[in-house]
Structures are given as structure tokens and as C-alpha cells.
Amino acid sequence: MANTLTDLASQISNTAKAINDFLVADGHPQPSFDVNAPSAFPTAPEEILNARRQLLDASQAITELLTGPAEYLRWLSCRHHDMSTLHWIYHFKIAEAVPLDRAVTFAEIAKARGVDEDYLKRILRYAMTNRIFREPEAGLVAHTSVSALLVRSKSLNDWVGYTCEETYPSSAKLVEAYEKYGASQKPNEAAYSVAFNTDKPMFVHLAEFPERERRFANTMIEMTSTDGYGVHHLVNGYKWEDIGKATVVDVGGSTGHACIAIAEQKAPDATFIIQDLPTVVEQGKKALPEGLKPRFSFQEHDFFTPQPVTADIYLLRFILHDHPDAISQQIVKNLVPAMKKGSRLIINDGVLAEPNTLPKIEERISRYITKLRDNTLS
Ligand SMILES: C[S@@+](CC[C@H](N)C(=O)[O-])C[C@H]1O[C@@H](n2cnc3c(N)ncnc32)[C@H](O)[C@@H]1O
């Protein structure tokens, strides 16, 4: 792998050219933080996606190399300001006070949201260094494509809320939780337990706060918009078109978004039972598209107890990574008594690559799953 400045620079130049040629040839706009810029890189052939990965990796490497280890470590340890300012913006609904089509003064935003103008200015000017809002003229605030998503995308706003208000405070308690529980595998002995002063597992505790539970369910939907966790991997990774009139049970299926995609795109005759905790089930029933009602039902079921439904297919999507091996085995064992001859179990989950086999950016994202477990689940 290239590791000198000139090697990295030429890798950056070559991959940038390949990407630019693709964007121009296919009529896509240049990447930009303009408020109306596309919110994601366009669909592209595999070689362009690879060039993008290489470019991201090389540009991160060159930035970090040039920053130098001491400076890099100093500022790495200050990144909590990124989260705390984002949290402040989320909590006081600042994005909603900025129109999408024009700039407004700090004073107008402060008045609309009932916050102190100077405080707001300090928070926003820091956030602007992360491309969240911009100051087109001194004293005026306008949206960027990033801050605009806090208004335009309800599920991305919920993702930000969940990370700022559940995982961020839990992360800050990682050391305290380890001091208290060591490497406990119990779901109620996690950093979340310390942060929220509870002896209940996260999902049980969340159920006491319907708005936070709803936000978590929406975060799961938003997750399917990401590269690696897209529901298209599940939809295209199995021959759903061959299952005919099968019954599919989605265990811990949240509000049913994965099975909705399967039902709409690949399995027009199958029926689906979405199982989850009681309040999530209620949300799922409310959000189900009208046309799917004859083929969908929602059922309260705790996957730590025996499965009540005999079905052709059981789906465990993004369930097992939340739990240590012994508990995951129990979740799977609970399915066995309900299974009939020919029943299938489909597991769709994150798999960790060997260390150093992915670009650093991708390896870090894939390891979020392990952090999720340490922080919030066990
Ligand atoms: C990480 S989410 C995955 C959701 C969904 N399968 C998906 O792919 O988006 C875990 C889900 O398990 C549900 N859950 C947690 N504990 C549960 C339990 N004991 N029984 C049933 N569902 C549970 C949560 O409410 C949540 O919807």
C-alpha cells in the first residue's frame, strides 16, 4: 500500500480523476456542501466505488501523516466537542429555525429557539467547521447539505438523536462500566446501565420511553440507507422470488421495514409476521402501508422465550450482533421447537473482517458493531 506523501498524492490524483470522469460522463453534479447538493454519492459501477474507497483511504492517510502523531493525538482526544455541539443543535432544534432557502441572523435563530445568542454563535461556529451550517456573510447563518438533512430527513434526525442521547452518554461511561462490571456478558451490565442508572437491559429500559424507542426504530430504518447495512443486501442476497406462499417470521423485526422491502420487491405471495417488543409492535402496525395489510401481521414476542409460530422461514436481521455468544445461542435455540421439516433460518448480520484487510474508514465503521455492544448492550 502506498505510504509516502508522493505515492499517496498520486493515488489521490488518479482515483479523483477516475471518479470525476465518471461523474461528468454520467451527468452527475460535483460533490458539494451546497444546500441543494445530493445527499449521497450516486450509484456507480464497482470500479468507481473502489476508486472512491481508495481515495477516501489515501486522503485520510495523507491528512493524518501530515498532521503528525502528537498533533493528531491532541485533537483526536478533543472530538467529543463534535458530538456535544451536534447534540446541542439537535436538542434545541436549531436546524428547524434556519430556512432552507435563505440565510438568517444568529439573533433570529436565538429568538426563535429561545436560546442565548452568544452561546448559539459559539456552538454554531464550531459546528460549521464540521460543515454543519455555514456563515455566508458575517453574522448570517445558512444551511449546508449536511445541516439541511436534520430538517429534510426525519429518520436521519432520529439517528442523530439516538447517537447523541443514548450511545454518546453511554460511551462516556465505558471506563466506569468496566470498573464496575468487567467484561460482563449480561445485557444489564453495560455502559448504558451506568449512564442511565438502570438495572434493566437497554431494550427493556427504552420501552419505558416510547419516544426514545420510536427514535431507535427509525434509526434502524436509517441504517438501511448506509452502504454496508442496506436492506438491498438482504433483498438481493437470497432467492426470495422462489419462496412462493411461504410464511416468514421476522424475529426482532422492529417496525417491519426489512420484510416490507422483501414483500414489495421479491415475494408477492408470501405472508410475514413481524415479532418485537410491545410498543415497537404498535408502531409497526401504525406505519404499515395499506396495500400490505392482508399479508402482514405484528406479534409481541420476547425472543428469549420459545418461538410460538411454526413457519417456513425465520429471519434474524441485526439481532445476534447485539448479544454475547451464549445469549445468541439461546435466541437461536428458542426457534428450534417451533420449526418443522424444511424450515429455514436466515441470519443477516455484520461480519467483522480480519484486522488490516479493509481501508481504515471501512474497518472503523464495521467495528461500530462491537462498540455498540460494549456501550449499550453488554
Ligand atoms: C438492532 S435492532 C434490529 C431490528 C431489525 N431486525 C432490523 O434489521 O432493523 C434489534 C431489535 O430487537 C428488538 N428486541 C430487543 N429485545 C428483544 C426481545 N427480547 N424480544 C424481541 N425483540 C427484541 C428491538 O426492539 C429491536 O427492534
Side-chain angles (χ1 to χ4, degrees):
M1 197 177 68
N3 54 13
T4 66
L5 295 184
T6 49
D7 283 347
L8 284 166
S10 84
Q11 202 179 329
I12 288 170
S13 171
N14 293 340
T15 48
K17 180 170 181 336
I19 292 169
N20 186 58
D21 289 351
F22 159 75
L23 294 174
V24 171
D26 276 33
H28 296 292
Q30 287 286 312
S32 145
F33 290 105
D34 181 86
V35 65
N36 290 319
S39 64
F41 193 76
T43 308
E46 197 50 38
E47 73 263 21
I48 297 301
L49 296 180
N50 271 335
R52 177 173 176 259
R53 280 185 203 112
Q54 284 169 25
L55 176 49
L56 286 169
D57 201 36
S59 48
Q60 184 183 359
I62 206 166
T63 304
E64 289 167 358
L65 277 174
L66 279 175
T67 305
E71 197 73 341
Y72 174 71
L73 187 56
R74 271 178 217 122
W75 299 128
L76 179 69
S77 63
C78 293
R79 286 212 186 137
H80 51 278
H81 297 306
D82 296 350
M83 278 303 286
S84 58
T85 47
L86 181 59
H87 186 194
W88 199 91
I89 288 165
Y90 168 83
H91 182 82
F92 292 105
K93 298 187 169 48
I94 302 301
E96 290 167 26
V98 180
L100 289 167
D101 58 351
R102 66 188 164 88
V104 285
T105 61
F106 286 105
E108 284 173 90
I109 304 171
K111 186 164 178 238
R113 301 307 309 144
V115 295
D116 180 81
E117 183 182 338
D118 278 342
Y119 206 105
L120 171 83
K121 205 177 275 177
R122 288 197 296 278
I123 298 270
L124 291 202
R125 283 188 170 149
Y126 179 90
M128 286 175 194
T129 66
N130 280 327
R131 318 267 186 198
I132 299 169
F133 302 110
R134 65 190 182 92
E135 194 167 352
E137 274 174 46
L140 288 182
V141 180
H143 270 296
T144 61
S145 53
V146 182
S147 57
L149 283 171
L150 293 171
V151 182
R152 287 179 170 145
S153 169
K154 178 76 184 132
S155 54
L156 189 40
N157 189 62
D158 280 337
W159 165 305
V160 169
Y162 167 69
T163 52
C164 287
E165 300 200 335
E166 265 87 39
T167 59
Y168 172 54
S170 301
S171 269
K173 296 294 181 189
L174 203 59
V175 171
E176 220 177 299
Y178 191 84
E179 291 283 5
K180 196 167 175 189
Y181 305 124
S184 169
Q185 303 229 319
K186 295 192 182 144
N188 61 347
E189 294 185 347
Y192 180 95
S193 328
V194 179
F196 291 92
N197 193 23
T198 176
D199 57 4
K200 297 183 179 139
M202 182 185 88
F203 286 119
V204 177
H205 187 246
L206 266 190
E208 294 171 11
F209 304 92
E211 173 52 23
R212 289 172 57 198
E213 194 176 50
R214 181 207 61 76
R215 185 166 70 184
F216 178 82
N218 247 6
T219 304
M220 289 301 99
I221 293 175
E222 182 59 27
M223 197 145 178
T224 61
S225 309
T226 64
D227 228 11
Y229 298 102
V231 79
H232 61 278
H233 296 296
L234 176 68
V235 173
N236 300 327
Y238 187 75
K239 291 202 164 193
W240 297 104
E241 52 273 50
D242 292 350
I243 69 171
K245 295 190 168 170
T247 302
V248 180
V249 173
D250 190 354
V251 183
S254 191
T255 49
H257 60 97
C259 284
I260 289 174
I262 295 168
E264 288 181 336
Q265 296 172 41
K266 290 280 179 77
D269 299 318
T271 53
F272 297 85
I273 300 169
I274 315 298
Q275 298 178 335
D276 210 293
L277 300 172
T279 40
V280 184
V281 160
E282 286 312 309
Q283 289 170 41
K285 282 183 191 164
K286 282 190 206 135
L288 184 68
E290 198 58 37
L292 290 177
K293 285 192 174 157
R295 295 199 284 138
F296 271 66
S297 55
F298 286 83
Q299 183 179 44
E300 291 175 21
H301 170 60
D302 176 356
F303 53 50
F304 295 123
T305 63
Q307 173 60 235
V309 179
T310 292
D312 302 292
I313 296 176
Y314 297 90
L315 175 63
L316 285 172
R317 180 171 188 274
F318 295 157
I319 298 298
L320 300 183
H321 71 255
D322 284 345
H323 305 280
D325 289 353
I327 294 190
S328 293
Q329 280 168 17
Q330 197 50 53
I331 293 171
V332 173
K333 274 187 188 160
N334 282 336
L335 299 175
V336 176
M339 285 179 141
K340 59 183 177 183
K341 197 166 186 302
S343 290
R344 279 159 288 175
L345 168 61
I346 296 177
I347 297 174
N348 177 210
D349 220 315
V351 177
L352 286 180
E354 289 297 321
N356 298 318
T357 57
L358 288 177
K360 285 275 174 284
I361 291 179
E362 286 188 20
E363 180 166 350
R364 185 186 307 150
I365 292 174
S366 76
R367 289 185 183 281
Y368 282 164
I369 272 191
T370 62
K371 294 320 303 151
L372 207 67
R373 239 190 72 182
D374 295 338
N375 285 345
T376 50
L377 296 153
S378 67

